[in-house]
Amino acid sequence: RPTVRAMSGHETDLSRPPLMQHQREALGTIGRFLESDKHFSMSVKGMISTGKTRLLADVAIEIARSGRQAIPLTPNRRLAWAASQRDGIECNSIYQHLYDIGGAEEQSGKVDGATKTIPLRPCEDSDDCVYLVDDAHLLGNALFQTPDGKQFGTGYLLADLFAFTGLGT
């Protein structure tokens, strides 16, 4: 069987195409942002299929090279799976990361007892980790309960994210 090996001696990922010029410029801007202590959040915006998720893969690699933990998240499992298949990014859905989905569901304090609350889990992420939220425009902070009566945390996803990360304090 033929094998593929890098000829230059540098680490090469042949599964992803090289970054385009606009993506390399964005990567440089993100790198400078990560070195700064002035701000705690940044948004990368662009039209669909402009390479934002592809860029996220290289951002995660650069964060890891700097010795920090990159935590790529997506709004749901389907998007996490797509990012891992298409761009080679190991993602979790934000729900998998924030909530104790595998644990026992606890009854909420509702009088009718029909709503089951899936609790926010304790944050065990490193203090200097970087959360990378792909497709963040799909996240909301409106009260959300599933049709079968489940509620994740307080029911307010962004409020739970800020509480989990400590960014809301």
Side-chain angles (χ1 to χ4, degrees):
R1 293 181 86 149
T3 60
V4 177
R5 61 184 167 89
M7 295 179 65
S8 64
H10 296 288
E11 187 177 315
T12 306
D13 185 349
L14 300 175
S15 65
R16 288 193 300 263
L19 293 177
M20 303 293 286
Q21 178 63 32
H22 70 280
Q23 292 169 310
R24 288 192 303 273
E25 290 170 5
L27 184 60
T29 300
I30 293 166
R32 289 186 295 280
F33 165 80
L34 291 169
E35 292 171 358
S36 170
D37 290 334
K38 290 183 181 181
H39 306 286
F40 65 90
S41 72
M42 176 184 201
S43 295
V44 176
K45 298 188 256 181
M47 295 293 291
I48 189 168
S49 296
T50 56
K52 297 177 301 297
T53 302
R54 166 64 186 89
L55 174 63
L56 190 75
D58 279 39
V59 171
I61 290 168
E62 291 302 315
I63 290 168
R65 283 186 185 150
S66 74
R68 296 170 76 182
Q69 179 186 18
I71 302 175
L73 302 170
T74 63
N76 60 48
R77 280 192 271 179
R78 184 187 60 79
L79 290 172
W81 180 86
S84 70
Q85 296 299 305
R86 184 184 60 236
D87 298 298
I89 305 169
E90 289 299 319
C91 290
N92 273 330
S93 83
I94 196 165
Y95 290 93
Q96 289 171 306
H97 194 73
L98 297 183
Y99 302 103
D100 187 15
I101 294 173
E105 296 173 355
E106 300 173 3
Q107 288 291 331
S108 73
K110 282 197 163 189
V111 175
D112 63 2
T115 301
K116 294 186 177 197
T117 301
I118 299 169
L120 194 64
R121 68 177 185 81
C123 181
E124 297 174 355
D125 301 332
S126 64
D127 289 338
D128 67 343
C129 72
V130 178
Y131 296 97
L132 304 170
V133 183
D134 196 22
D135 289 317
H137 66 284
L138 298 175
L139 301 179
N141 204 38
L143 179 63
F144 174 72
Q145 294 176 342
T146 64
D148 63 347
K150 292 180 187 169
Q151 176 178 299
F152 293 90
T154 65
Y156 297 93
L157 181 60
L158 292 179
D160 285 351
L161 173 64
F162 293 147
F164 180 84
T165 61
L167 292 174
T169 56

